[in-house]
């Protein structure tokens, strides 16, 4: 139901297409380029301009930029999806548990969430990456560790607002177990938010990973776009007249991020209206007993007697 | 005849107050003695803050009582140990909620709640039996054709239809007593009657008792056999519906009745109702909680809490002036 | 006690007959204060335009209390917003005029419209809890309202604010309170006080009592009625609660599926409803007095306005519908028997009316 609506939404459609292209490139790089070993140094003459045999030119190491870009997609996508995915799982678990359990559990989890939230993430990432090493998995762990807290707050807020909704109370009164209620009654109503969260985390991961790689904290031997930027920068590509070495990976990162962002828009728009019928306004919700302060107005006078109208 | 459900001195207090260690207690329900017999509809009438919703949740075991006892079919409810017995209580005493737009999970079909309920509470049925029962209860609340209705999602049904599903969910358990917490307040006027008729039908044909909680005394009159009026956490008057409405003894009941607009009644002389609103009862002192708005309050009302006194075998009221009697020192 | 009393300063004595308060105004026909002509309001939905109000006509005379009654989806709130020009996309006015003191509000330039607002035409929203800004005192919100239209001194603002609060029997000490410190009934009355700041000619109210308990409701209604008699403003009161408004309104307008189905003096509409919907609606109220009768309400659901039924929009649910009703859309006909009442039912068509004999336990409706 929701995916069909996605297709109707133009922003989502564009995002989906861009994302789809990236996925294809990542899965089947061989189709897109004949050069299957783009990192080999000196395969071609360095700093060549754009031509039919080198669509985006070559680096100052004599590597074909275009095939590097193609092969780099896989790395970037893996990091984005893995980091985004794990971060989302973590934020969902922590956020919903905090909201549903309440009390001390909520206090402790919220404390952790908020502490991690206010830590300056980029410096933290730099420090962690510096000590933990430079493999891709380390990067994923670092991104997850610094990126889950924002989503956790969102999940908690959403779950809190749902917590007192009658259908959850109905489930409780029905005698359902707590775990069942959380997994099967509460979470399905939050799918839009969870997917939106995932897309947001993936977006964040793309940018953060590329950033880390750019400053040299990633695996500098890898294919990824961020690494390309690193090398291009260290070789002063712009001064060497090889702008494409920087522009190409930069643009690719931007396009993938945009894809996630566009898809995210769609989920924001689709998310709630399907859950809330527009049929009538919440007229009588206000009647549901307001907890008002005590306020006694002047009584009209004690000599009145209430009479029945008959 | 042993009553189906009885409460004795049931109270529920909540901690309130902003300060971390404040001990202010909100007395939502205080010393309520309630009786519900088989095959009857009892209306619990009160305005916001009267404690009626809290009563529903106490009886549904969403809240635990602060003091007092709930006895169901002769057994103390708090002594029910073990998941099996607790599930049994939940199936004997289910609840129907007020908001038709929030009481059904929007991502599942409307039959979801009924199916889960059947699975949890009617273990004797197999899959085919459950399906049959599902269709039976949906038809019993007036939704036809049941086969088509159960395939719909909540947003495809109107408010009135959703409330009927709520009743169908309760009916699926073969309950003894249904707790209906303001089931028609959020429905259009023309739809309410339909639901009220369903409730009467459930009492007559399925033998179910219903605790009908409402602020609308007119609908309470339409559907209930007995009525209890609550104010500020206390029951102030109780008795057979026609008796109480024909001859209300407690000033609050009289106020409620005079405030109800009735399009068919001739426009009558009424008096200015007190502007004050029902109190939020925090750390109350003894005395009648209605005294601030009461036109006939006497000195005693400020010091001694009135208890329910029988005026005739069925009709009770808690008022020092209109129903004086032996009152315990509060 | 049954002779009309002159408007009293607040603090009136008990025992005023309700019938006095809602007696129809003596026969005089001044220029209507508000004249809504053939108003059509349309919502632009993704599936095409949906007409929420189809050709609504409504007049309000100075000092009159007009009640608009209908259930959810009938278009009454949309109508109100349209009258006050408060509607926003996707709703738009697709036709008709809203003449207020002779000027058409629909085409009025914004500056003139803002001039009119609050000074001559005020609005009281439903659910004051949400209409009042929770982080500002009552005084500062009144100040906002005043300063938007006049440049009064601080002292004058304070004085007027206190005055209007007293009018609604709230102690002026609450000027410095925040909304959450007031009870629900008080907040609603504060909203009404805010509407009275410039003593407008017309106050338009959208279900102001629906969030209140029945006792507070009655109290608020009486208060509004008193103020009306005292200050002379007209009221358009939208509600779903027909029984509530019946005791206080001079004329009653019943809406169904975006159309006016009955409009006339309250007493007449109540005693002898001429439209089957009004009649069924009245019958749907269980009575607390008199014999207990089984009621049926109105089976079925209101129609989908994107695709209303052909002919009379009420016919699928009408207890006395006949064949012509399914294809011929009735207009708003003036009743031959009571020229003040209009009814949208083929039974009251001047030429060739259909015969409906509505027989009920309690009464029979006269057909023309």
């Amino acid at each position: 139901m929701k995916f069909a609506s996605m297709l109707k939404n133009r922003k989502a459609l564009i995002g989906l297409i861009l994302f789809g292209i990236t996925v294809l490139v990542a899965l089947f790089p061989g189709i897109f380029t004949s050069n299957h070993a783009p990192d080999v140094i000196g395969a071609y003459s360095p700093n060549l301009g754009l031509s039919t045999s080198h669509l985006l030119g070559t680096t100052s190491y004599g590597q074909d930029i275009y095939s590097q870009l193609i092969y780099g997609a896989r790395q970037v996508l893996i990091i984005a999806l893995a980091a985004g995915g794990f971060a989302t799982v973590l934020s969902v678990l922590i956020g919903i548990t905090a909201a549903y359990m309440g009390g001390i559990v909520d206090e402790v989890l919220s404390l952790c969430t908020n502490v991690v939230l206010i830590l300056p993430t980029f410096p933290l990432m730099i420090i962690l990456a510096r000590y933990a090493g430079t493999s891709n998995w380390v990067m994923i762990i670092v991104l997850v560790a610094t990126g889950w807290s924002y989503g956790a707050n969102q999940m908690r807020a959403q779950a809190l607002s749902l917590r007192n909704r009658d259908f959850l109370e109905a489930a409780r009164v029905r005698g359902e177990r707590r775990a069942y209620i959380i997994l099967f009654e509460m979470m399905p109503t939050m799918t839009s938010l969870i997917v939106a969260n995932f897309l947001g985390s993936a977006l964040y991961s793309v940018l953060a990973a590329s950033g880390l790689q750019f400053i040299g904290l990633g695996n500098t031997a890898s294919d990824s776009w961020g690494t390309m930027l690193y090398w291009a920068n260290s070789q002063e590509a712009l001064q060497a007249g090889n702008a494409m070495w920087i522009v190409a990976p930069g643009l690719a990162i931007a396009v993938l991020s945009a894809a996630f962002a566009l898809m995210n828009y769609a989920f924001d728009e689709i998310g709630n209206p399907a859950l809330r019928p527009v049929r009538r306004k919440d007229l009588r919700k206000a009647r549901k007993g307001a907890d008002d302060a005590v306020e006694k107005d002047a009584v009209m006078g004690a000599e009145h007697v209430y009479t029945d109208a008959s | 005849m042993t009553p189906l459900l009885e409460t004795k001195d049931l109270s529920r207090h909540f901690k309130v107050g902003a300060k971390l260690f404040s001990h202010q207690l909100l007395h939502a329900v205080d010393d309520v003695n309630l009786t519900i017999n088989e095959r009857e509809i009892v209306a619990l009438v009160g305005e916001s803050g009267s404690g009626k919703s809290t009563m529903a949740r106490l009886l549904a075991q969403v809240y635990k009582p602060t003091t007092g006892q709930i006895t169901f079919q002769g057994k103390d409810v708090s002594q029910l140990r073990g998941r099996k017995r607790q599930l049994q209580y939940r199936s004997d005493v289910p609840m129907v909620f007020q908001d038709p737009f929030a009481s059904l999970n929007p991502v599942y079909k409307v039959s979801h709640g009924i199916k889960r309920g059947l699975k949890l509470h009617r273990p004797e049925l197999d899959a085919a039996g459950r399906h049959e029962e599902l269709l039976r209860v949906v038809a019993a609340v007036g939704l036809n054709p049941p086969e088509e209705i159960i395939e719909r999602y909540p947003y495809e049904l109107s408010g009135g239809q959703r409330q009927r599903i709520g009743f169908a969910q309760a009916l699926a358990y073969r309950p003894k007593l249904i707790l209906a917490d303001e089931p028609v307040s959020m429905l259009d006027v023309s739809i309410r009657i339909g639901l009220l008729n369903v409730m009467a039908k459930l009492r007559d044909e399925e033998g179910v008792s219903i605790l009908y909680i409402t602020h609308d005394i007119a609908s309470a009159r339409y559907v209930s056999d007995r009525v209890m009026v609550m104010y500020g956490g206390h029951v102030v008057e109780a008795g057979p519906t026609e008796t109480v409405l024909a001859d209300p003894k407690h000033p609050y009941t009289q106020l409620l009745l005079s405030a109800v607009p009735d399009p068919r009644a001739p426009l009558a002389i009424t008096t200015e109702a007190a502007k004050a609103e029902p109190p939020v009862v925090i750390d109350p002192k003894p005395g009648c909680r209605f005294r601030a708005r009461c036109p006939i309050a006497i000195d005693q009302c400020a010091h001694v809490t009135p208890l329910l006194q029988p005026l005739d075998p069925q009709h009770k009221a808690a008022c020092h002036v209109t129903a004086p009697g032996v009152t315990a020192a509060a | 006690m049954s002779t009309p009393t002159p408007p009293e300063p607040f603090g009136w004595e008990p025992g005023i007959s309700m019938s006095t308060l809602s007696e129809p105004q003596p026969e005089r026909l001044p220029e209507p204060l508000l004249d809504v002509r053939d108003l059509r309001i349309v919502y632009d939905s993704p599936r095409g335009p949906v007409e929420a109000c189809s050709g609504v006509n409504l007049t309000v005379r100075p000092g009159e209390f007009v009640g608009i009654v209908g259930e959810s989806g009938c278009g009454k709130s949309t109508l109100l917003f349209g009258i006050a020009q408060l509607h926003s996309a996707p709703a738009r006015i697709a036709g008709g005029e809203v003449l207020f003191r002779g000027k058409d509000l629909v085409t009025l330039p914004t500056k003139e419209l803002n001039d009119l607002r609050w000074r001559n035409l005020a609005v009281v929203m439903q659910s004051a809890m949400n209409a009042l800004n929770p982080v500002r005192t009552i005084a500062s919100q009144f100040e906002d309202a005043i300063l938007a239209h006049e440049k009064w001194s601080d002292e004058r603002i304070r004085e007027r604010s206190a005055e209007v609060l007293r009018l609604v029997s709230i102690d002026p000490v609450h000027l410095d309170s925040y909304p959450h410190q007031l009870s629900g009934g008080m907040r609603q009355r504060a909203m009404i006080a805010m509407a009275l700041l410039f003593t407008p000619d017309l106050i338009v109210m959208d279900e102001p009592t629906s969030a209140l308990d029945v006792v507070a409701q009655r109290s608020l209604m009486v208060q509004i009625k008193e103020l009306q008699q005292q200050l002379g403003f007209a009221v358009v009161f939208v509600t779903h609660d027909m029984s509530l408004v019946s005791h206080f309104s001079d004329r009653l307008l019943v809406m169904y599926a975006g159309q006016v189905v009955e409009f006339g003096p309250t007493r007449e509409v109540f005693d002898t409803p001429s439209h089957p919907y009004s009649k069924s609606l009245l019958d749907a109220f269980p009575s607390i007095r008199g014999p207990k009768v089984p009621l049926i309400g109105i089976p079925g659901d209101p129609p989908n306005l994107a695709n209303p039924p052909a002919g009379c929009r009420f016919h699928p649910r009408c207890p006395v519908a006949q064949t012509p009703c399914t294809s011929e859309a009735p207009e708003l006909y003036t009743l031959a028997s009571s020229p003040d009442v209009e009814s949208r039912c083929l039974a009251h068509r001047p030429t060739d009316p259909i015969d409906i004999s509505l027989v009920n336990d309690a009464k029979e409706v006269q057909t023309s």
Side-chain angles (χ1 to χ4, degrees):
Chain A
M1 167 170 79
K2 295 207 187 78
F3 291 107
S5 338
M6 254 188 105
L7 291 174
K8 287 202 207 105
N9 184 319
R10 211 177 322 152
K11 286 184 219 145
L13 199 55
I14 297 177
L16 207 55
I17 292 174
L18 291 174
F19 180 65
I21 295 175
T22 317
V23 169
L24 272 177
V25 168
L27 286 175
F28 308 111
I31 308 178
F32 292 89
T33 172
S34 51
N35 179 348
H36 301 299
D39 289 337
V40 172
I41 297 181
Y44 308 97
S45 312
N47 291 322
L48 289 176
L50 309 181
S51 65
T52 43
S53 48
H54 297 288
L55 282 173
L56 295 170
T58 58
T59 71
S60 47
Y61 292 115
Q63 301 153 317
D64 178 36
I65 293 176
Y66 174 72
S67 20
Q68 278 200 323
L69 205 66
I70 297 292
Y71 273 90
R74 182 180 293 185
Q75 293 258 322
V76 177
L77 218 49
I78 289 178
I79 293 176
L81 297 177
F86 288 129
T88 304
V89 167
L90 207 57
S91 45
V92 166
L93 275 177
I94 293 182
I96 296 187
T97 311
Y100 197 78
M101 305 288 277
I104 262 283
V105 176
D106 186 12
E107 300 281 340
V108 168
L109 287 176
S110 293
L111 184 64
C112 295
T113 309
N114 290 327
V115 166
V116 173
L117 194 58
I118 60 173
L119 290 176
T121 38
F122 212 63
L124 183 65
M125 280 195 277
I126 294 174
I127 294 173
L128 285 174
R130 185 87 179 71
Y131 285 99
T134 57
S135 80
N136 273 342
W137 280 108
V138 169
M139 173 157 304
I140 290 177
I141 292 175
V142 166
L143 290 174
V144 170
T146 53
W148 65 267
S149 51
Y150 182 71
N153 262 346
Q154 279 188 314
M155 292 298 158
R156 180 175 170 273
Q158 176 83 336
L160 273 180
S161 77
L162 282 178
R163 192 164 170 240
N164 290 319
R165 293 199 87 190
D166 286 348
F167 63 85
L168 289 179
E169 210 175 341
R172 265 194 293 269
V173 171
R174 198 157 69 214
E176 304 277 16
R177 291 181 208 268
R178 241 193 311 219
Y180 171 85
I181 296 181
I182 294 179
L183 286 176
F184 292 101
E185 295 280 344
M186 204 183 250
M187 267 183 45
T189 59
M190 293 173 61
T191 42
S192 304
L193 189 63
I194 294 175
V195 172
N197 200 302
F198 166 69
L199 292 172
S201 297
L203 169 54
Y204 162 79
S205 307
V206 168
L207 294 172
S210 304
L212 282 176
Q213 288 163 340
F214 176 64
I215 58 178
L217 289 173
N219 184 351
T220 49
S222 70
D223 288 340
S224 150
W225 298 338
T227 317
M228 284 175 73
L229 284 175
Y230 169 75
W231 287 114
N233 192 42
S234 75
Q235 293 299 305
E236 297 181 340
L238 282 175
Q239 278 89 319
N242 196 347
M244 198 46 75
W245 197 4
I246 292 215
V247 169
L251 210 57
I253 293 170
V255 164
L256 182 59
S257 310
F260 283 127
L262 288 170
M263 289 195 285
N264 210 350
Y265 267 123
F267 267 90
D268 279 343
E269 286 173 22
I270 295 166
N272 265 326
L275 296 180
R276 218 185 298 145
V278 180
R279 222 177 155 265
R280 73 202 237 160
K281 296 169 241 176
D282 286 352
L283 293 182
R284 294 166 205 135
K285 273 228 182 242
R287 204 182 232 296
K288 236 186 181 173
D291 296 283
D292 301 322
V294 181
E295 193 58 49
K296 293 196 188 78
D297 279 59
V299 178
M300 279 308 287
E303 58 273 17
H304 303 173
V305 177
Y306 300 108
T307 53
D308 205 339
S310 57
Chain B
M1 171 174 67
T2 39
L4 186 59
L5 182 129
E6 232 185 323
T7 70
K8 191 159 162 44
D9 296 329
L10 191 62
S11 300
R12 171 71 199 186
H13 304 156
F14 294 98
K15 282 210 199 69
V16 289
K19 297 189 267 285
L20 196 59
F21 298 107
S22 88
H23 285 302
Q24 286 190 304
L25 282 181
L26 171 71
H27 287 231
V29 170
D30 261 335
D31 302 323
V32 168
N33 294 312
L34 166 81
T35 333
I36 303 176
N37 300 310
E38 291 188 28
R39 273 203 135 90
E40 77 173 346
I41 298 184
V42 174
L44 193 57
V45 176
E47 297 177 298
S48 57
S50 59
K52 58 190 197 305
S53 287
T54 312
M55 276 300 297
R57 277 155 183 76
L58 281 168
L59 295 178
Q61 290 210 303
V62 173
Y63 299 147
K64 294 233 178 333
T66 310
T67 53
Q69 201 186 44
I70 304 174
T71 315
F72 181 68
Q73 291 184 315
K75 297 196 197 69
D76 183 351
V77 150
S78 62
Q79 301 302 320
L80 290 176
R81 297 263 175 265
R83 183 159 164 78
K84 191 145 166 271
R85 292 219 193 85
Q86 284 179 347
L87 268 186
Q88 181 62 43
Y89 180 76
R90 292 207 187 285
S91 79
D92 286 332
V93 187
M95 192 151 133
V96 173
F97 295 88
Q98 176 180 12
D99 185 350
F101 297 91
S103 57
L104 297 177
N105 193 327
V107 302
Y108 294 118
K109 294 194 185 146
V110 297
S111 50
H112 168 79
I114 307 177
K115 285 196 207 151
R116 284 295 307 174
L118 285 170
K119 225 166 172 199
L120 282 170
H121 297 279
R122 302 279 296 276
E124 74 274 10
L125 296 173
D126 62 354
R130 285 198 290 268
H131 187 76
E132 216 181 284
E133 188 68 1
L134 169 64
L135 294 176
R136 184 189 81 85
V137 296
V138 170
V141 296
L143 288 172
N144 289 299
E147 300 83 10
E148 199 210 299
I149 299 274
I150 58 174
E151 293 300 315
R152 298 217 197 142
Y153 284 90
Y155 70 86
E156 294 174 291
L157 295 184
S158 70
Q161 289 172 318
R162 283 190 241 198
Q163 282 301 71
R164 287 176 192 243
I165 292 281
F167 275 99
Q169 281 182 358
L171 200 59
Y173 308 142
R174 284 247 140 88
K176 309 273 185 327
L177 167 67
I178 295 181
L179 303 169
D181 186 9
E182 303 223 41
V184 297
S185 308
M186 293 184 75
L187 299 178
D188 277 331
V189 166
S190 57
I191 314 284
R192 284 182 200 174
I193 296 288
L195 257 304
L196 294 176
N197 287 340
V198 166
M199 284 167 59
K201 183 173 162 229
L202 290 181
R203 173 197 53 200
D204 299 330
E205 288 176 20
E206 306 269 339
V208 176
S209 291
I210 301 182
L211 178 66
Y212 173 53
I213 295 172
T214 181
H215 60 271
D216 174 15
I217 205 166
S219 66
R221 188 222 180 180
Y222 182 74
V223 80
S224 66
D225 304 305
R226 286 195 302 124
V227 68
M228 303 182 69
V229 180
M230 280 190 81
Y231 185 84
H234 282 152
V235 175
V236 298
E237 191 156 1
T241 312
E242 290 304 311
T243 318
V244 172
L245 261 60
D247 186 24
K249 286 291 183 216
H250 194 280
Y252 177 63
T253 316
Q254 293 167 355
L255 172 60
L256 266 188
L257 283 170
S258 73
V260 173
D262 190 339
R264 279 190 287 283
L267 295 172
I269 296 174
T270 66
T271 61
E272 177 56 55
K275 293 256 176 25
E277 305 202 337
V280 172
V281 184
I282 297 185
D283 292 341
K285 300 205 187 30
C288 176
R289 291 177 189 174
F290 187 62
R291 63 183 182 276
R293 302 166 69 183
C294 185
I296 57 174
I298 57 177
D299 204 45
Q300 193 185 18
C301 303
H303 306 295
V304 181
T305 310
L307 301 178
L308 280 176
Q309 301 299 331
L311 300 151
D312 61 53
Q314 301 284 345
H315 187 180
K316 302 184 205 165
C319 177
H320 292 306
V321 176
T322 57
V326 178
T327 58
Chain C
M1 273 299 177
S2 57
T3 52
T5 54
E8 304 234 304
F10 191 74
W12 59 297
E13 56 255 317
I16 262 201
S17 163
M18 278 295 133
S19 58
T20 321
L21 292 181
S22 59
E23 241 168 43
Q25 299 286 326
E27 205 48 52
R28 56 184 176 126
L29 292 166
E31 264 288 301
L33 182 63
L34 179 72
D35 192 356
V36 178
R37 294 188 187 162
D38 201 32
L39 189 62
R40 284 180 51 233
I41 305 181
V42 163
Y43 278 93
D44 290 314
S45 83
R47 269 163 286 167
V50 175
E51 212 172 47
C53 284
S54 309
V56 171
N57 289 298
L58 160 69
T59 51
V60 180
R61 302 186 201 111
E64 198 178 23
F65 192 124
V66 173
I68 300 182
V69 168
E71 297 179 299
S72 50
C74 72
K76 59 191 192 299
S77 288
T78 309
L79 174 63
L80 206 68
F81 274 67
I83 290 176
Q85 297 296 302
L86 288 172
H87 58 281
S88 52
R92 64 180 162 89
I93 297 199
E97 310 170 297
V98 177
L99 296 170
F100 180 70
R101 288 167 125 209
K103 298 200 194 126
D104 185 5
L105 296 182
V106 178
T107 54
L108 209 60
T110 318
K111 188 171 177 311
E112 287 189 54
L113 193 60
N114 283 339
D115 262 350
L116 271 180
R117 280 200 214 283
W118 234 252
R119 267 195 262 257
N120 306 100
L121 171 65
V123 181
V124 175
M125 288 300 170
Q126 186 182 314
S127 180
M129 333 277 177
N130 303 331
L132 287 170
N133 190 330
V135 298
R136 301 181 59 193
T137 59
I138 304 291
S140 75
Q141 299 192 48
F142 279 26
E143 193 182 317
D144 266 357
I146 294 177
L147 287 177
H149 297 278
E150 295 279 359
K151 299 230 180 324
W152 289 353
S153 65
D154 282 345
E155 203 185 291
R156 186 163 175 207
I157 292 178
R158 187 96 189 165
E159 202 184 297
R160 181 64 185 161
S161 304
E163 206 178 322
V164 292
L165 277 188
R166 263 184 244 113
L167 275 177
V168 296
S169 60
I170 296 180
D171 190 334
V173 76
H174 287 300
L175 277 174
D176 297 314
S177 302
Y178 287 90
H180 68 268
Q181 293 171 311
L182 305 179
S183 68
M186 289 177 75
R187 279 185 276 207
Q188 203 66 44
R189 280 183 280 143
M191 288 296 290
I192 294 175
M194 195 145 77
L196 290 172
L197 283 170
F198 294 108
T199 324
D201 302 312
L202 172 66
I203 302 187
V204 152
M205 303 194 188
D206 186 6
E207 306 229 35
T209 58
S210 62
L212 305 176
D213 288 319
V214 65
V215 176
Q217 255 187 19
R218 156 76 44 141
S219 155
L220 190 71
M221 289 306 294
V222 169
Q223 179 112 76
I224 294 174
K225 197 69 188 172
E226 283 165 25
L227 287 169
Q228 195 200 9
Q229 301 227 305
Q230 191 183 339
L231 301 171
F233 53 85
V235 173
V236 173
F237 191 100
V238 168
T239 181
H240 65 276
D241 193 338
M242 203 185 202
S243 53
L244 180 69
V245 80
S246 68
H247 290 222
F248 301 98
S249 60
D250 299 314
R251 286 196 294 156
L252 197 60
L253 187 145
V254 182
M255 275 190 82
Y256 183 79
Q259 293 175 320
V260 175
V261 296
E262 189 157 359
F263 186 25
T266 312
R267 277 291 73 192
E268 294 193 47
V269 174
F270 262 76
D271 293 337
T272 46
S274 56
H275 193 281
Y277 176 66
S278 320
K279 179 156 195 336
S280 302
L281 200 57
L282 271 175
D283 284 346
F285 284 88
S287 174
I288 51 172
R289 302 158 183 113
K292 215 161 128 165
V293 290
L295 303 172
I296 45 167
I298 308 179
D301 298 307
N304 181 355
L305 289 177
N307 201 0
C312 170
R313 290 187 184 182
F314 184 58
H315 85 255
R317 304 168 76 193
C318 180
V320 292
Q322 290 161 34
T323 333
C325 304
T326 60
S327 54
E328 297 167 43
E331 316 230 320
L332 208 53
Y333 308 113
T334 312
L335 290 194
S337 50
S338 349
D340 293 324
V341 178
E342 296 173 305
S343 171
R344 190 182 294 271
C345 180
L346 291 177
H348 302 288
R349 195 167 44 182
T351 53
D352 190 29
I354 64 173
D355 184 18
I356 50 165
S357 307
L358 294 174
V359 179
N360 195 347
D361 308 339
K363 51 193 174 231
E364 284 193 41
V365 173
Q366 296 164 328
T367 57
S368 47

